[in-house]
Amino acid sequence: MQISQDDNVGLLILGAGWTSTFLIPLLEREGIKYAATTTTGRDHTIRFRFDPDSSDPTPFRTLPYAETVLITFPLRGKGQASHLAHMYESTHKHHKPRFVQLGATSIWTAPTWQDESSSYERTDPRAIAEDELMACSDGAVLNLAGLYGGERQPRNWVDRVVKSKSDLKGKGALHVIHGQDVARAIVALHRNFTPGKRWLLCDMHVYDWWDLTQDWAIRTLATVENEGEGAGISPDKVEKQKQLLAWVGELMVEEGVRALPRDTSSLGRALDGRGFWKEMGIWPTQGRIR
């Protein structure tokens, strides 16, 4: 991708990481001209690293003029968002881009239903930067639920987040969004921009960690039973699945849960992601996680 500052692109991706593996193919299919940066310039991207403490315009002068600038890396606290926007705009005269920041749904913490209009943690460093971006520029924010797709699969998260029965007891709702739907959302926002708007992006499901843990354990054990050693699953992994099954059953008895999935009202924070999809006139395509 040979792009210079004199070129004009529809979308400039600042930080071509995991999301870009879904976004770039979609941009190419949709015929949207784009450019992307990485810190190393790998895969024909533009070499660029944002330094919030530097006022050197040189890195920004390598970037093309873009209709929409997508910021995939987190900005934190006061000053970073306004500095990035200023540096880009000051090196791209007579041009007013739109900025889209990818954020996280963790800024909504209340243990009830939450949507894009709900109160959020305004002191969260990422929320502070997002608010600043929308105040100082033509900006919008996509706050993303847990990202999955490709090799990043939720069923592989269990070993990291559930190390004990107590850990499992404390797990309530899980919210996710597939990389393909993130890409579709970015393109939709690029085409139907909503300045000054923060959106909550999820797949419109509220998953119960107990239900998922039980289902995944059953599936793993069935695979071992059907395929034996050919399944490539270690004995330790098999024992862990048996333990997880037992923990789920015990917790259901102890907590008076008659059936899974548990009622959403008992899972704590629940995310309502309908707003963005309704506004854009599209809907998630990936269905339930398995």
Coordinates of all heavy atoms in Angstrom, one line a residue, residues 215-264:
D215 N -21.9 -25.8 29.1 CA -22.1 -26.2 27.7 C -20.7 -26.6 27.1 O -20.6 -27.6 26.4 CB -22.8 -25.2 26.8 CG -23.0 -25.6 25.4 OD1 -23.7 -26.6 25.2 OD2 -22.5 -24.9 24.5
W216 N -19.7 -25.7 27.3 CA -18.4 -25.9 26.7 C -17.7 -27.1 27.3 O -17.1 -27.9 26.6 CB -17.5 -24.7 26.9 CG -18.0 -23.5 26.0 CD1 -18.7 -23.6 24.9 CD2 -17.8 -22.1 26.3 NE1 -18.9 -22.3 24.4 CE2 -18.4 -21.4 25.3 CE3 -17.2 -21.4 27.4 CZ2 -18.4 -20.0 25.2 CZ3 -17.2 -20.0 27.4 CH2 -17.8 -19.3 26.3
A217 N -17.9 -27.3 28.6 CA -17.4 -28.5 29.3 C -18.0 -29.8 28.7 O -17.3 -30.8 28.4 CB -17.6 -28.4 30.8
I218 N -19.3 -29.8 28.5 CA -20.0 -31.0 28.0 C -19.5 -31.2 26.6 O -19.2 -32.4 26.2 CB -21.5 -30.7 28.0 CG1 -22.0 -30.8 29.4 CG2 -22.2 -31.8 27.1 CD1 -23.5 -30.4 29.5
R219 N -19.3 -30.2 25.8 CA -18.9 -30.4 24.4 C -17.4 -31.0 24.3 O -17.1 -31.8 23.5 CB -18.9 -29.1 23.6 CG -20.3 -28.6 23.3 CD -20.3 -27.2 22.7 NE -21.7 -26.7 22.5 CZ -22.3 -26.8 21.3 NH1 -21.6 -27.3 20.3 NH2 -23.5 -26.3 21.1
T220 N -16.6 -30.4 25.2 CA -15.2 -30.9 25.2 C -15.1 -32.4 25.6 O -14.4 -33.2 25.0 CB -14.4 -30.1 26.2 OG1 -14.4 -28.7 25.8 CG2 -12.9 -30.6 26.2
L221 N -15.9 -32.8 26.7 CA -15.9 -34.1 27.1 C -16.5 -35.1 26.1 O -16.0 -36.2 25.9 CB -16.7 -34.3 28.4 CG -16.0 -33.5 29.6 CD1 -16.9 -33.6 30.9 CD2 -14.6 -34.2 30.0
A222 N -17.5 -34.6 25.4 CA -18.1 -35.4 24.3 C -17.1 -35.7 23.2 O -17.0 -36.8 22.6 CB -19.3 -34.7 23.7
T223 N -16.3 -34.6 22.9 CA -15.3 -34.8 21.8 C -14.2 -35.8 22.2 O -13.8 -36.7 21.4 CB -14.5 -33.4 21.6 OG1 -15.5 -32.5 21.1 CG2 -13.4 -33.6 20.6
V224 N -13.8 -35.8 23.5 CA -12.9 -36.8 24.0 C -13.5 -38.2 24.0 O -12.8 -39.2 23.6 CB -12.4 -36.4 25.4 CG1 -11.6 -37.6 26.0 CG2 -11.7 -35.1 25.5
E225 N -14.7 -38.3 24.3 CA -15.4 -39.6 24.3 C -15.5 -40.2 22.9 O -15.3 -41.4 22.7 CB -16.8 -39.5 24.9 CG -17.5 -40.8 25.0 CD -18.8 -40.7 25.7 OE1 -19.1 -39.7 26.3 OE2 -19.6 -41.7 25.7
N226 N -15.7 -39.3 21.9 CA -15.9 -39.7 20.6 C -14.6 -40.0 19.8 O -14.5 -40.8 19.0 CB -16.8 -38.7 19.8 CG -18.2 -38.7 20.3 OD1 -18.7 -39.6 20.8 ND2 -18.8 -37.5 20.2
E227 N -13.6 -39.2 20.2 CA -12.3 -39.2 19.4 C -11.1 -39.7 20.1 O -10.1 -40.0 19.5 CB -12.0 -37.8 18.9 CG -13.1 -37.2 18.0 CD -12.8 -35.8 17.5 OE1 -11.6 -35.5 17.5 OE2 -13.7 -35.1 17.1
G228 N -11.3 -39.9 21.5 CA -10.2 -40.4 22.3 C -9.0 -39.5 22.2 O -9.1 -38.3 22.2
E229 N -7.8 -40.2 22.1 CA -6.5 -39.4 22.1 C -6.4 -38.6 20.8 O -5.7 -37.6 20.8 CB -5.4 -40.4 22.2 CG -5.2 -41.1 23.5 CD -4.0 -42.0 23.6 OE1 -3.3 -42.0 22.6 OE2 -3.8 -42.6 24.6
G230 N -7.2 -38.9 19.8 CA -7.1 -38.2 18.6 C -7.7 -36.8 18.7 O -7.5 -35.9 17.8
A231 N -8.4 -36.5 19.8 CA -9.0 -35.2 20.0 C -7.9 -34.2 20.4 O -8.1 -33.0 20.3 CB -10.0 -35.2 21.1
G232 N -6.7 -34.7 20.8 CA -5.6 -33.8 21.2 C -5.9 -33.0 22.5 O -5.3 -31.9 22.6
I233 N -6.7 -33.5 23.4 CA -7.0 -32.8 24.6 C -6.3 -33.5 25.7 O -6.5 -34.7 25.9 CB -8.6 -32.8 24.8 CG1 -9.2 -32.0 23.7 CG2 -8.9 -32.1 26.2 CD1 -10.8 -32.1 23.7
S234 N -5.6 -32.8 26.5 CA -4.8 -33.4 27.6 C -5.6 -33.9 28.7 O -6.8 -33.4 28.9 CB -3.8 -32.3 28.1 OG -4.5 -31.4 28.9
P235 N -5.1 -34.9 29.5 CA -5.8 -35.4 30.6 C -6.1 -34.3 31.6 O -7.2 -34.3 32.3 CB -4.8 -36.4 31.2 CG -4.0 -36.9 30.0 CD -3.9 -35.7 29.2
D236 N -5.2 -33.4 31.8 CA -5.5 -32.3 32.8 C -6.7 -31.4 32.3 O -7.5 -31.0 33.1 CB -4.2 -31.4 32.9 CG -3.1 -32.0 33.7 OD1 -3.4 -33.0 34.4 OD2 -2.0 -31.5 33.6
K237 N -6.8 -31.2 31.0 CA -7.9 -30.5 30.4 C -9.2 -31.2 30.7 O -10.2 -30.6 31.0 CB -7.7 -30.2 28.9 CG -8.8 -29.5 28.2 CD -8.7 -28.0 28.5 CE -9.6 -27.2 27.6 NZ -9.6 -25.8 27.8
V238 N -9.2 -32.5 30.5 CA -10.4 -33.3 30.7 C -10.8 -33.2 32.2 O -12.0 -33.0 32.5 CB -10.1 -34.8 30.3 CG1 -11.3 -35.7 30.8 CG2 -9.9 -34.9 28.8
E239 N -9.9 -33.3 33.1 CA -10.2 -33.2 34.5 C -10.8 -31.9 34.9 O -11.7 -31.8 35.7 CB -9.0 -33.6 35.4 CG -8.6 -35.0 35.4 CD -9.7 -35.9 35.7 OE1 -10.4 -35.7 36.8 OE2 -10.0 -36.9 35.0
K240 N -10.2 -30.8 34.2 CA -10.7 -29.5 34.5 C -12.2 -29.3 34.0 O -13.0 -28.7 34.7 CB -9.9 -28.4 33.8 CG -10.3 -27.0 34.0 CD -10.3 -26.6 35.4 CE -10.8 -25.1 35.6 NZ -9.8 -24.1 35.1
Q241 N -12.5 -30.0 32.9 CA -13.9 -29.9 32.4 C -14.9 -30.6 33.3 O -16.0 -30.1 33.6 CB -14.0 -30.5 31.0 CG -13.1 -29.9 30.0 CD -13.1 -28.3 30.0 OE1 -14.1 -27.7 29.8 NE2 -11.9 -27.8 30.2
K242 N -14.4 -31.7 33.9 CA -15.3 -32.5 34.8 C -15.5 -31.6 36.1 O -16.6 -31.6 36.7 CB -14.6 -33.8 35.2 CG -14.6 -34.8 34.0 CD -13.9 -36.1 34.4 CE -13.8 -37.1 33.3 NZ -13.1 -38.3 33.7
Q243 N -14.4 -30.9 36.5 CA -14.5 -30.1 37.7 C -15.4 -28.9 37.4 O -16.3 -28.6 38.3 CB -13.1 -29.6 38.1 CG -13.1 -28.8 39.4 CD -11.6 -28.4 39.7 OE1 -11.0 -27.7 39.0 NE2 -11.2 -28.9 40.9
L244 N -15.4 -28.3 36.3 CA -16.2 -27.2 35.9 C -17.7 -27.6 35.9 O -18.6 -26.9 36.4 CB -15.9 -26.6 34.6 CG -14.5 -25.8 34.5 CD1 -14.2 -25.6 33.0 CD2 -14.6 -24.5 35.3
L245 N -18.0 -28.8 35.4 CA -19.3 -29.3 35.4 C -19.9 -29.5 36.8 O -21.0 -29.1 37.1 CB -19.4 -30.7 34.6 CG -19.6 -30.7 33.1 CD1 -19.7 -32.1 32.6 CD2 -20.9 -30.0 32.8
A246 N -19.0 -30.0 37.7 CA -19.4 -30.2 39.0 C -19.7 -28.9 39.7 O -20.6 -28.7 40.5 CB -18.3 -31.0 39.8
W247 N -18.8 -27.9 39.5 CA -19.0 -26.6 40.1 C -20.3 -26.0 39.7 O -21.0 -25.4 40.5 CB -17.8 -25.7 39.7 CG -16.5 -26.0 40.4 CD1 -16.4 -26.8 41.5 CD2 -15.2 -25.5 40.1 NE1 -15.0 -26.9 41.9 CE2 -14.3 -26.1 41.0 CE3 -14.7 -24.7 39.1 CZ2 -12.9 -25.8 41.0 CZ3 -13.4 -24.4 39.1 CH2 -12.5 -24.9 40.0
V248 N -20.6 -26.1 38.4 CA -21.9 -25.4 38.0 C -23.0 -26.1 38.7 O -24.0 -25.4 39.2 CB -22.0 -25.6 36.4 CG1 -23.4 -25.1 36.0 CG2 -20.9 -24.7 35.7
G249 N -23.1 -27.4 38.7 CA -24.2 -28.1 39.3 C -24.3 -27.8 40.8 O -25.4 -27.5 41.3
E250 N -23.1 -27.8 41.5 CA -23.1 -27.4 42.9 C -23.6 -26.0 43.2 O -24.4 -25.8 44.1 CB -21.7 -27.6 43.5 CG -21.3 -29.0 43.6 CD -19.8 -29.2 43.8 OE1 -19.1 -28.1 44.0 OE2 -19.2 -30.3 43.7
L251 N -23.2 -25.1 42.4 CA -23.6 -23.7 42.5 C -25.1 -23.5 42.3 O -25.8 -22.7 43.0 CB -22.8 -22.8 41.6 CG -21.3 -22.5 42.0 CD1 -20.6 -21.8 40.9 CD2 -21.3 -21.7 43.3
M252 N -25.6 -24.2 41.3 CA -27.1 -24.2 41.0 C -27.9 -24.6 42.3 O -28.9 -24.0 42.6 CB -27.4 -25.0 39.8 CG -26.9 -24.5 38.5 SD -27.3 -25.5 37.1 CE -29.1 -25.4 37.1
V253 N -27.4 -25.7 42.9 CA -28.1 -26.1 44.1 C -27.9 -25.1 45.3 O -28.9 -24.8 45.9 CB -27.5 -27.5 44.6 CG1 -28.1 -27.9 45.9 CG2 -27.9 -28.6 43.5
E254 N -26.7 -24.7 45.5 CA -26.4 -23.8 46.6 C -27.1 -22.4 46.4 O -27.5 -21.8 47.4 CB -24.9 -23.5 46.7 CG -24.1 -24.8 47.1 CD -22.6 -24.6 46.8 OE1 -22.2 -23.5 46.5 OE2 -21.9 -25.7 46.9
E255 N -27.3 -21.9 45.2 CA -27.8 -20.6 44.9 C -29.3 -20.7 44.6 O -29.9 -19.6 44.3 CB -27.0 -19.9 43.8 CG -25.6 -19.7 44.2 CD -25.3 -18.8 45.4 OE1 -26.0 -17.8 45.5 OE2 -24.5 -19.2 46.2
G256 N -29.9 -21.9 44.6 CA -31.3 -22.0 44.3 C -31.6 -21.7 42.8 O -32.7 -21.2 42.5
V257 N -30.7 -22.0 41.9 CA -31.0 -21.8 40.5 C -31.6 -23.0 39.9 O -30.9 -24.1 39.8 CB -29.7 -21.4 39.7 CG1 -29.9 -21.3 38.2 CG2 -29.1 -20.1 40.3
R258 N -32.8 -22.9 39.4 CA -33.5 -24.1 38.9 C -33.1 -24.6 37.6 O -33.1 -25.8 37.2 CB -35.0 -23.9 39.0 CG -35.6 -23.8 40.4 CD -37.1 -23.7 40.3 NE -37.7 -23.7 41.6 CZ -38.0 -22.7 42.3 NH1 -37.8 -21.5 41.8 NH2 -38.6 -22.8 43.5
A259 N -32.7 -23.6 36.7 CA -32.3 -24.0 35.3 C -31.4 -22.9 34.8 O -31.4 -21.8 35.2 CB -33.6 -24.1 34.5
L260 N -30.7 -23.3 33.7 CA -29.8 -22.4 33.0 C -30.4 -22.1 31.6 O -31.0 -23.0 31.0 CB -28.4 -23.0 32.9 CG -27.6 -23.2 34.2 CD1 -26.3 -23.9 33.9 CD2 -27.4 -21.9 35.0
P261 N -30.1 -20.9 31.1 CA -29.4 -19.8 31.7 C -30.2 -19.2 32.8 O -31.4 -19.2 32.8 CB -29.2 -18.9 30.5 CG -30.3 -19.1 29.6 CD -30.6 -20.6 29.7
R262 N -29.5 -18.5 33.7 CA -30.1 -17.8 34.7 C -30.9 -16.6 34.2 O -30.6 -16.1 33.1 CB -29.1 -17.3 35.8 CG -28.5 -18.4 36.6 CD -27.3 -17.9 37.4 NE -26.1 -17.6 36.5 CZ -25.0 -17.0 37.0 NH1 -24.9 -16.7 38.2 NH2 -24.0 -16.8 36.1
D263 N -31.9 -16.1 34.9 CA -32.6 -14.9 34.5 C -31.7 -13.7 34.4 O -30.8 -13.5 35.3 CB -33.7 -14.6 35.5 CG -34.6 -13.5 35.0 OD1 -35.6 -13.8 34.3 OD2 -34.4 -12.3 35.4
T264 N -31.8 -12.9 33.4 CA -30.9 -11.8 33.2 C -30.9 -10.8 34.4 O -29.8 -10.3 34.7 CB -31.4 -11.0 31.9 OG1 -31.4 -11.8 30.8 CG2 -30.5 -9.8 31.7

